[in-house]
Amino acid sequence: MWFKNLQIYRLPVAWGMTAEQLIAALSPHAFVPPTASELLRQGWDAPRPAGELVHTVNRQLLLCLSTEKKLLPATVINQVAKARAVEMEDAQGFAPGKKAMKELKERVADEMLPRAFSIASSTFVWIDPVNGWLVVDAASPSRADEVIKLLLKAVDKLPLESLRVQRSPVGVMTEWLHADEAPAGFTVDMDATLRATGESKAAVRYIKHSLDPVEVRRHIDAGKQCTRLAMTWDSKISFVLDETLAIKSIKPLDVLQEKESSTKDESERFDGDFMLMTGELAKMLADLVEALGGEAKA
C-alpha cells in the first residue's frame, strides 16, 4: 500500500511512545458505526482486518481514521419541507412563518435520517518514530487538520509540529525552473503551475507538457512564481510539490513496483509494501528538506 498524498508533520526523533501505549490511547476513541439517528461518526479503526488499532512493521506505525457520513442533501430536505408547508397552509389557512419553517425542516431531516445512504471513508496516518515523521494521507490541509485534531484528542500531550523549512517552497521551486536545474537526486517532470503575485492572479499551467526553459524563464521574469511542480526522486518516486509543502500524486515507479510484486501472500505483501514505502519516503523527505534549505529551527 502506498500513500497518494503527504501532509507532513514533525515528531521528536526517537519519540518514545510504544505501539501498545498508542493502542491504549486510541481505544476509547475507536470507531463505532453511527446509529439510525446520527449523521456522522468518526473514530480510530484497525488498518488491517481483525488487527490492532496500530499496525506495526519494522518500527513503523500505521493508523486508520474511519468516517461514516450519511447523505442528506439540503435540496431534498427543502423540497419535502416545502411540500409539507403547502399542506399546512391549506389546512390552517396561512403559510408557516420563518420559525415554523425552520422547525419543519428539522423534523423532515430527523424523519429522513434513518433512511439516508451512508458513505464510509478511511484516512491513514503513518508515524515514523525513528526519523520523527508523522504523515497524513490527505489531499487537503483541512482534512489533515481534522485527523490531527482527533489524534491530539486521543493522545495526551502529543509533541507534534508542522514541518517548517528554511526556504519558501515557492521561491526555491521558482529558482529551480529559472536555472533549469533540479536539486541533487531529483528531476523536474512535465507538470507545473506558474502564478502571478499581483492582483491579476494570472496563471500558466503545464500538464504533461515539456517545460521549455526559455518560455518558463520569460514567465518568471514577468513576475510569476512556481506554486506547483512535478518531480521525481532518485528515479524511484514521482510526486507533485505544492506551495504549502504538501506532497501530492505520489507514484512509485517501475523499479519499486517490481519489488512489491515479489510476495504473493496478501498479508505479507501489505507489510512488505508498507515497509518499502516508509523506508523510501523517509529518505525522500530527508532529501527534499535538505533541498529546501533544511529545517527551520525555533
Side-chain angles (χ1 to χ4, degrees):
M1 58 90 65
W2 276 80
F3 281 22
K4 291 182 173 59
N5 305 284
L6 308 182
Q7 302 288 339
I8 310 163
Y9 301 84
R10 262 311 202 178
L11 285 167
V13 174
W15 180 54
M17 195 169 200
T18 65
E20 291 72 21
Q21 291 171 325
L22 192 52
I23 290 170
L26 297 177
S27 292
H29 306 273
F31 177 74
V32 177
T35 64
S37 60
E38 289 181 311
L39 185 63
L40 173 71
R41 270 287 182 94
Q42 291 182 303
W44 299 100
D45 210 347
R48 297 292 294 148
E52 299 279 2
L53 289 180
V54 179
H55 187 73
T56 307
V57 181
N58 195 33
R59 300 173 67 191
Q60 303 297 304
L61 312 177
L62 182 66
L63 316 182
C64 175
L65 182 73
S66 287
T67 301
E68 189 168 330
K69 183 177 182 180
K70 293 183 179 178
L71 290 179
L72 201 56
T75 52
V76 176
I77 295 173
N78 291 337
Q79 183 178 349
V80 175
K82 188 179 292 185
R84 297 269 185 92
V86 172
E87 294 174 1
M88 290 174 63
E89 184 176 0
D90 291 342
Q92 62 191 18
F94 58 89
K98 186 176 181 180
K99 181 179 178 182
M101 198 65 197
K102 180 182 178 183
E103 293 173 348
L104 179 57
K105 289 180 181 179
E106 290 174 352
R107 287 201 301 273
V108 169
D110 290 342
E111 291 172 12
M112 297 180 69
L113 189 56
R115 303 193 301 273
F117 290 103
S118 294
I119 290 184
S121 62
S122 298
T123 304
F124 289 93
V125 179
W126 158 42
I127 299 177
D128 177 359
V130 179
N131 299 293
W133 299 112
L134 188 148
V135 176
V136 181
D137 185 2
S140 68
S142 60
R143 176 57 179 163
D145 288 345
E146 183 181 348
V147 175
I148 293 301
K149 181 180 178 181
L150 293 170
L151 184 59
L152 291 171
K153 183 178 179 181
V155 183
D156 187 38
K157 298 180 180 178
L158 181 66
L160 189 66
E161 296 180 354
S162 295
L163 173 64
R164 295 181 299 117
V165 291
Q166 293 281 0
R167 305 189 62 200
S168 159
V170 170
V172 175
M173 290 190 294
T174 303
E175 287 181 9
W176 293 339
L177 290 181
H178 194 274
D180 190 27
E181 184 176 355
F186 295 85
T187 56
V188 171
D189 296 336
M190 296 194 296
D191 286 62
T193 298
L194 298 170
R195 192 179 301 278
T197 56
E199 293 181 2
S200 70
K201 302 296 182 183
V204 176
R205 293 184 177 89
Y206 293 87
I207 300 175
K208 296 182 180 179
H209 191 287
S210 176
L211 304 182
D212 178 69
V214 175
E215 180 181 287
V216 169
R217 208 171 283 128
R218 185 171 67 248
H219 286 301
I220 293 172
D221 291 341
K224 294 184 179 69
Q225 294 185 313
C226 182
T227 59
R228 176 180 172 277
L229 184 63
M231 306 179 74
T232 293
W233 170 76
D234 197 27
S235 302
K236 295 179 180 178
I237 299 172
S238 68
F239 63 93
V240 173
L241 176 65
D242 78 8
E243 58 190 321
T244 68
L245 201 53
I247 297 175
K248 301 181 178 181
S249 303
I250 293 173
K251 293 179 182 177
L253 303 183
D254 290 344
V255 63
L256 293 181
Q257 291 175 337
E258 290 171 4
K259 293 181 181 179
E260 290 178 337
S261 61
S262 61
T263 305
K264 300 300 181 182
D265 178 79
E266 181 181 354
S267 179
E268 290 182 2
R269 185 168 61 248
F270 183 93
D271 286 355
D273 290 352
F274 182 59
M275 186 165 64
L276 179 64
M277 180 193 79
T278 56
E280 296 296 338
L281 287 182
K283 290 184 285 187
M284 187 188 84
L285 290 177
D287 286 352
L288 184 60
V289 167
E290 182 179 351
L292 294 169
E295 287 192 63
K297 303 301 180 183

